PDB file of all heavy atoms in Angstrom:
ATOM      1  N   MET E 935      -3.966  -0.965  -2.689  1.00  0.00           N
ATOM      2  CA  MET E 935      -4.607  -0.585  -3.949  1.00  0.00           C
ATOM      3  C   MET E 935      -5.785  -1.526  -4.182  1.00  0.00           C
ATOM      4  O   MET E 935      -5.765  -2.670  -3.775  1.00  0.00           O
ATOM      5  CB  MET E 935      -3.622  -0.720  -5.116  1.00  0.00           C
ATOM      6  CG  MET E 935      -2.441   0.223  -5.010  1.00  0.00           C
ATOM      7  SD  MET E 935      -2.926   1.943  -5.118  1.00  0.00           S
ATOM      8  CE  MET E 935      -3.550   2.020  -6.769  1.00  0.00           C
ATOM      9  N   PRO E 936      -6.812  -1.042  -4.864  1.00  0.00           N
ATOM     10  CA  PRO E 936      -7.916  -1.931  -5.186  1.00  0.00           C
ATOM     11  C   PRO E 936      -7.427  -3.080  -6.065  1.00  0.00           C
ATOM     12  O   PRO E 936      -6.416  -2.969  -6.740  1.00  0.00           O
ATOM     13  CB  PRO E 936      -8.904  -1.052  -5.952  1.00  0.00           C
ATOM     14  CG  PRO E 936      -8.323   0.302  -6.000  1.00  0.00           C
ATOM     15  CD  PRO E 936      -6.972   0.286  -5.364  1.00  0.00           C
ATOM     16  N   THR E 937      -8.151  -4.172  -6.024  1.00  0.00           N
ATOM     17  CA  THR E 937      -7.743  -5.314  -6.820  1.00  0.00           C
ATOM     18  C   THR E 937      -7.772  -4.962  -8.302  1.00  0.00           C
ATOM     19  O   THR E 937      -8.537  -4.103  -8.737  1.00  0.00           O
ATOM     20  CB  THR E 937      -8.676  -6.515  -6.573  1.00  0.00           C
ATOM     21  OG1 THR E 937     -10.003  -6.116  -6.889  1.00  0.00           O
ATOM     22  CG2 THR E 937      -8.600  -6.968  -5.123  1.00  0.00           C
ATOM     23  N   ALA E 938      -6.931  -5.605  -9.059  1.00  0.00           N
ATOM     24  CA  ALA E 938      -6.844  -5.333 -10.489  1.00  0.00           C
ATOM     25  C   ALA E 938      -8.148  -5.724 -11.174  1.00  0.00           C
ATOM     26  O   ALA E 938      -8.813  -6.688 -10.803  1.00  0.00           O
ATOM     27  CB  ALA E 938      -5.682  -6.111 -11.090  1.00  0.00           C
ATOM     28  N   ALA E 939      -8.483  -4.956 -12.173  1.00  0.00           N
ATOM     29  CA  ALA E 939      -9.714  -5.224 -12.911  1.00  0.00           C
ATOM     30  C   ALA E 939      -9.550  -6.511 -13.714  1.00  0.00           C
ATOM     31  O   ALA E 939      -8.465  -6.834 -14.194  1.00  0.00           O
ATOM     32  CB  ALA E 939     -10.023  -4.060 -13.835  1.00  0.00           C
ATOM     33  N   LEU E 940     -10.615  -7.230 -13.842  1.00  0.00           N
ATOM     34  CA  LEU E 940     -10.592  -8.448 -14.623  1.00  0.00           C
ATOM     35  C   LEU E 940     -10.467  -8.096 -16.103  1.00  0.00           C
ATOM     36  O   LEU E 940     -10.962  -7.055 -16.544  1.00  0.00           O
ATOM     37  CB  LEU E 940     -11.883  -9.239 -14.391  1.00  0.00           C
ATOM     38  CG  LEU E 940     -12.121  -9.716 -12.970  1.00  0.00           C
ATOM     39  CD1 LEU E 940     -13.503 -10.349 -12.860  1.00  0.00           C
ATOM     40  CD2 LEU E 940     -11.057 -10.705 -12.567  1.00  0.00           C
ATOM     41  N   PRO E 941      -9.824  -8.938 -16.895  1.00  0.00           N
ATOM     42  CA  PRO E 941      -9.723  -8.653 -18.322  1.00  0.00           C
ATOM     43  C   PRO E 941     -11.118  -8.488 -18.928  1.00  0.00           C
ATOM     44  O   PRO E 941     -12.020  -9.277 -18.670  1.00  0.00           O
ATOM     45  CB  PRO E 941      -9.020  -9.880 -18.889  1.00  0.00           C
ATOM     46  CG  PRO E 941      -8.342 -10.511 -17.725  1.00  0.00           C
ATOM     47  CD  PRO E 941      -9.165 -10.160 -16.519  1.00  0.00           C
ATOM     48  N   GLY E 942     -11.272  -7.437 -19.702  1.00  0.00           N
ATOM     49  CA  GLY E 942     -12.552  -7.195 -20.344  1.00  0.00           C
ATOM     50  C   GLY E 942     -13.507  -6.389 -19.489  1.00  0.00           C
ATOM     51  O   GLY E 942     -14.588  -6.041 -19.931  1.00  0.00           O
ATOM     52  N   ALA E 943     -13.132  -6.064 -18.248  1.00  0.00           N
ATOM     53  CA  ALA E 943     -14.011  -5.288 -17.379  1.00  0.00           C
ATOM     54  C   ALA E 943     -13.975  -3.822 -17.811  1.00  0.00           C
ATOM     55  O   ALA E 943     -12.957  -3.320 -18.270  1.00  0.00           O
ATOM     56  CB  ALA E 943     -13.577  -5.419 -15.934  1.00  0.00           C
ATOM     57  N   GLN E 944     -15.092  -3.141 -17.636  1.00  0.00           N
ATOM     58  CA  GLN E 944     -15.184  -1.740 -18.015  1.00  0.00           C
ATOM     59  C   GLN E 944     -14.583  -0.856 -16.917  1.00  0.00           C
ATOM     60  O   GLN E 944     -14.769  -1.103 -15.736  1.00  0.00           O
ATOM     61  CB  GLN E 944     -16.648  -1.358 -18.239  1.00  0.00           C
ATOM     62  CG  GLN E 944     -17.295  -2.087 -19.399  1.00  0.00           C
ATOM     63  CD  GLN E 944     -16.703  -1.655 -20.733  1.00  0.00           C
ATOM     64  OE1 GLN E 944     -16.333  -0.513 -20.918  1.00  0.00           O
ATOM     65  NE2 GLN E 944     -16.602  -2.601 -21.648  1.00  0.00           N
ATOM     66  N   VAL E 945     -13.869   0.185 -17.342  1.00  0.00           N
ATOM     67  CA  VAL E 945     -13.307   1.160 -16.425  1.00  0.00           C
ATOM     68  C   VAL E 945     -14.231   2.369 -16.444  1.00  0.00           C
ATOM     69  O   VAL E 945     -14.574   2.885 -17.506  1.00  0.00           O
ATOM     70  CB  VAL E 945     -11.880   1.570 -16.855  1.00  0.00           C
ATOM     71  CG1 VAL E 945     -11.314   2.605 -15.901  1.00  0.00           C
ATOM     72  CG2 VAL E 945     -10.980   0.355 -16.923  1.00  0.00           C
ATOM     73  N   THR E 946     -14.604   2.821 -15.266  1.00  0.00           N
ATOM     74  CA  THR E 946     -15.532   3.945 -15.188  1.00  0.00           C
ATOM     75  C   THR E 946     -14.781   5.271 -15.337  1.00  0.00           C
ATOM     76  O   THR E 946     -13.586   5.358 -15.040  1.00  0.00           O
ATOM     77  CB  THR E 946     -16.287   3.945 -13.850  1.00  0.00           C
ATOM     78  OG1 THR E 946     -15.337   4.157 -12.806  1.00  0.00           O
ATOM     79  CG2 THR E 946     -17.036   2.641 -13.632  1.00  0.00           C
ATOM     80  N   PRO E 947     -15.463   6.315 -15.788  1.00  0.00           N
ATOM     81  CA  PRO E 947     -14.821   7.628 -15.889  1.00  0.00           C
ATOM     82  C   PRO E 947     -14.301   8.133 -14.544  1.00  0.00           C
ATOM     83  O   PRO E 947     -13.275   8.809 -14.487  1.00  0.00           O
ATOM     84  CB  PRO E 947     -15.949   8.532 -16.406  1.00  0.00           C
ATOM     85  CG  PRO E 947     -16.887   7.612 -17.100  1.00  0.00           C
ATOM     86  CD  PRO E 947     -16.814   6.318 -16.351  1.00  0.00           C
ATOM     87  N   GLU E 948     -14.981   7.779 -13.456  1.00  0.00           N
ATOM     88  CA  GLU E 948     -14.522   8.197 -12.136  1.00  0.00           C
ATOM     89  C   GLU E 948     -13.166   7.582 -11.803  1.00  0.00           C
ATOM     90  O   GLU E 948     -12.305   8.236 -11.215  1.00  0.00           O
ATOM     91  CB  GLU E 948     -15.541   7.813 -11.055  1.00  0.00           C
ATOM     92  CG  GLU E 948     -16.840   8.589 -11.124  1.00  0.00           C
ATOM     93  CD  GLU E 948     -17.809   8.041 -12.176  1.00  0.00           C
ATOM     94  OE1 GLU E 948     -17.626   6.900 -12.637  1.00  0.00           O
ATOM     95  OE2 GLU E 948     -18.737   8.779 -12.522  1.00  0.00           O
ATOM     96  N   GLU E 949     -12.979   6.318 -12.175  1.00  0.00           N
ATOM     97  CA  GLU E 949     -11.693   5.660 -11.929  1.00  0.00           C
ATOM     98  C   GLU E 949     -10.591   6.331 -12.733  1.00  0.00           C
ATOM     99  O   GLU E 949      -9.484   6.537 -12.239  1.00  0.00           O
ATOM    100  CB  GLU E 949     -11.780   4.178 -12.279  1.00  0.00           C
ATOM    101  CG  GLU E 949     -12.640   3.385 -11.326  1.00  0.00           C
ATOM    102  CD  GLU E 949     -12.856   1.958 -11.797  1.00  0.00           C
ATOM    103  OE1 GLU E 949     -12.839   1.708 -13.019  1.00  0.00           O
ATOM    104  OE2 GLU E 949     -13.056   1.093 -10.935  1.00  0.00           O
ATOM    105  N   ILE E 950     -10.880   6.678 -13.967  1.00  0.00           N
ATOM    106  CA  ILE E 950      -9.888   7.346 -14.809  1.00  0.00           C
ATOM    107  C   ILE E 950      -9.532   8.704 -14.218  1.00  0.00           C
ATOM    108  O   ILE E 950      -8.354   9.073 -14.144  1.00  0.00           O
ATOM    109  CB  ILE E 950     -10.406   7.480 -16.252  1.00  0.00           C
ATOM    110  CG1 ILE E 950     -10.544   6.091 -16.877  1.00  0.00           C
ATOM    111  CG2 ILE E 950      -9.468   8.364 -17.085  1.00  0.00           C
ATOM    112  CD1 ILE E 950     -11.221   6.079 -18.213  1.00  0.00           C
ATOM    113  N   MET E 951     -10.534   9.461 -13.788  1.00  0.00           N
ATOM    114  CA  MET E 951     -10.280  10.774 -13.201  1.00  0.00           C
ATOM    115  C   MET E 951      -9.452  10.653 -11.920  1.00  0.00           C
ATOM    116  O   MET E 951      -8.574  11.474 -11.658  1.00  0.00           O
ATOM    117  CB  MET E 951     -11.595  11.499 -12.911  1.00  0.00           C
ATOM    118  CG  MET E 951     -12.333  11.948 -14.158  1.00  0.00           C
ATOM    119  SD  MET E 951     -11.341  13.004 -15.232  1.00  0.00           S
ATOM    120  CE  MET E 951     -11.062  14.395 -14.162  1.00  0.00           C
ATOM    121  N   ARG E 952      -9.709   9.605 -11.135  1.00  0.00           N
ATOM    122  CA  ARG E 952      -8.937   9.383  -9.912  1.00  0.00           C
ATOM    123  C   ARG E 952      -7.466   9.119 -10.236  1.00  0.00           C
ATOM    124  O   ARG E 952      -6.566   9.645  -9.583  1.00  0.00           O
ATOM    125  CB  ARG E 952      -9.525   8.196  -9.150  1.00  0.00           C
ATOM    126  CG  ARG E 952      -9.476   8.362  -7.677  1.00  0.00           C
ATOM    127  CD  ARG E 952     -10.190   7.249  -6.948  1.00  0.00           C
ATOM    128  NE  ARG E 952     -11.285   6.711  -7.754  1.00  0.00           N
ATOM    129  CZ  ARG E 952     -11.882   5.558  -7.549  1.00  0.00           C
ATOM    130  NH1 ARG E 952     -11.517   4.806  -6.553  1.00  0.00           N
ATOM    131  NH2 ARG E 952     -12.857   5.142  -8.310  1.00  0.00           N
ATOM    132  N   VAL E 953      -7.215   8.315 -11.271  1.00  0.00           N
ATOM    133  CA  VAL E 953      -5.840   8.010 -11.671  1.00  0.00           C
ATOM    134  C   VAL E 953      -5.152   9.268 -12.189  1.00  0.00           C
ATOM    135  O   VAL E 953      -4.002   9.560 -11.837  1.00  0.00           O
ATOM    136  CB  VAL E 953      -5.822   6.886 -12.736  1.00  0.00           C
ATOM    137  CG1 VAL E 953      -4.440   6.739 -13.337  1.00  0.00           C
ATOM    138  CG2 VAL E 953      -6.282   5.576 -12.133  1.00  0.00           C
ATOM    139  N   VAL E 954      -5.841  10.034 -13.022  1.00  0.00           N
ATOM    140  CA  VAL E 954      -5.263  11.265 -13.568  1.00  0.00           C
ATOM    141  C   VAL E 954      -4.967  12.251 -12.440  1.00  0.00           C
ATOM    142  O   VAL E 954      -3.904  12.881 -12.421  1.00  0.00           O
ATOM    143  CB  VAL E 954      -6.210  11.875 -14.626  1.00  0.00           C
ATOM    144  CG1 VAL E 954      -5.762  13.266 -15.022  1.00  0.00           C
ATOM    145  CG2 VAL E 954      -6.294  10.973 -15.841  1.00  0.00           C
ATOM    146  N   GLN E 955      -5.882  12.398 -11.490  1.00  0.00           N
ATOM    147  CA  GLN E 955      -5.674  13.315 -10.372  1.00  0.00           C
ATOM    148  C   GLN E 955      -4.489  12.879  -9.517  1.00  0.00           C
ATOM    149  O   GLN E 955      -3.671  13.698  -9.114  1.00  0.00           O
ATOM    150  CB  GLN E 955      -6.940  13.401  -9.511  1.00  0.00           C
ATOM    151  CG  GLN E 955      -6.826  14.377  -8.369  1.00  0.00           C
ATOM    152  CD  GLN E 955      -6.634  15.796  -8.829  1.00  0.00           C
ATOM    153  OE1 GLN E 955      -7.295  16.231  -9.756  1.00  0.00           O
ATOM    154  NE2 GLN E 955      -5.724  16.512  -8.201  1.00  0.00           N
ATOM    155  N   ARG E 956      -4.386  11.582  -9.267  1.00  0.00           N
ATOM    156  CA  ARG E 956      -3.273  11.080  -8.457  1.00  0.00           C
ATOM    157  C   ARG E 956      -1.944  11.340  -9.151  1.00  0.00           C
ATOM    158  O   ARG E 956      -0.977  11.772  -8.521  1.00  0.00           O
ATOM    159  CB  ARG E 956      -3.466   9.584  -8.207  1.00  0.00           C
ATOM    160  CG  ARG E 956      -2.441   9.004  -7.282  1.00  0.00           C
ATOM    161  CD  ARG E 956      -2.766   7.575  -6.955  1.00  0.00           C
ATOM    162  NE  ARG E 956      -1.803   7.053  -6.003  1.00  0.00           N
ATOM    163  CZ  ARG E 956      -1.748   5.821  -5.622  1.00  0.00           C
ATOM    164  NH1 ARG E 956      -2.617   4.961  -6.082  1.00  0.00           N
ATOM    165  NH2 ARG E 956      -0.849   5.416  -4.771  1.00  0.00           N
ATOM    166  N   GLN E 957      -1.898  11.096 -10.460  1.00  0.00           N
ATOM    167  CA  GLN E 957      -0.670  11.339 -11.214  1.00  0.00           C
ATOM    168  C   GLN E 957      -0.331  12.827 -11.200  1.00  0.00           C
ATOM    169  O   GLN E 957       0.827  13.206 -11.027  1.00  0.00           O
ATOM    170  CB  GLN E 957      -0.822  10.831 -12.656  1.00  0.00           C
ATOM    171  CG  GLN E 957       0.423  11.000 -13.485  1.00  0.00           C
ATOM    172  CD  GLN E 957       1.588  10.172 -12.992  1.00  0.00           C
ATOM    173  OE1 GLN E 957       1.408   9.147 -12.337  1.00  0.00           O
ATOM    174  NE2 GLN E 957       2.783  10.621 -13.292  1.00  0.00           N
ATOM    175  N   SER E 958      -1.333  13.668 -11.348  1.00  0.00           N
ATOM    176  CA  SER E 958      -1.117  15.116 -11.318  1.00  0.00           C
ATOM    177  C   SER E 958      -0.575  15.555  -9.961  1.00  0.00           C
ATOM    178  O   SER E 958       0.329  16.391  -9.879  1.00  0.00           O
ATOM    179  CB  SER E 958      -2.427  15.826 -11.639  1.00  0.00           C
ATOM    180  OG  SER E 958      -2.280  17.207 -11.521  1.00  0.00           O
TER     181      SER E 958
END
Side-chain angles (χ1 to χ4, degrees):
M935 296 295 295
T937 58
L940 298 174
Q944 296 292 326
V945 179
T946 65
E948 291 81 16
E949 290 173 331
I950 294 172
M951 290 304 297
R952 216 174 330 163
V953 170
V954 170
Q955 183 63 43
R956 185 174 183 186
Q957 182 65 25
S958 176

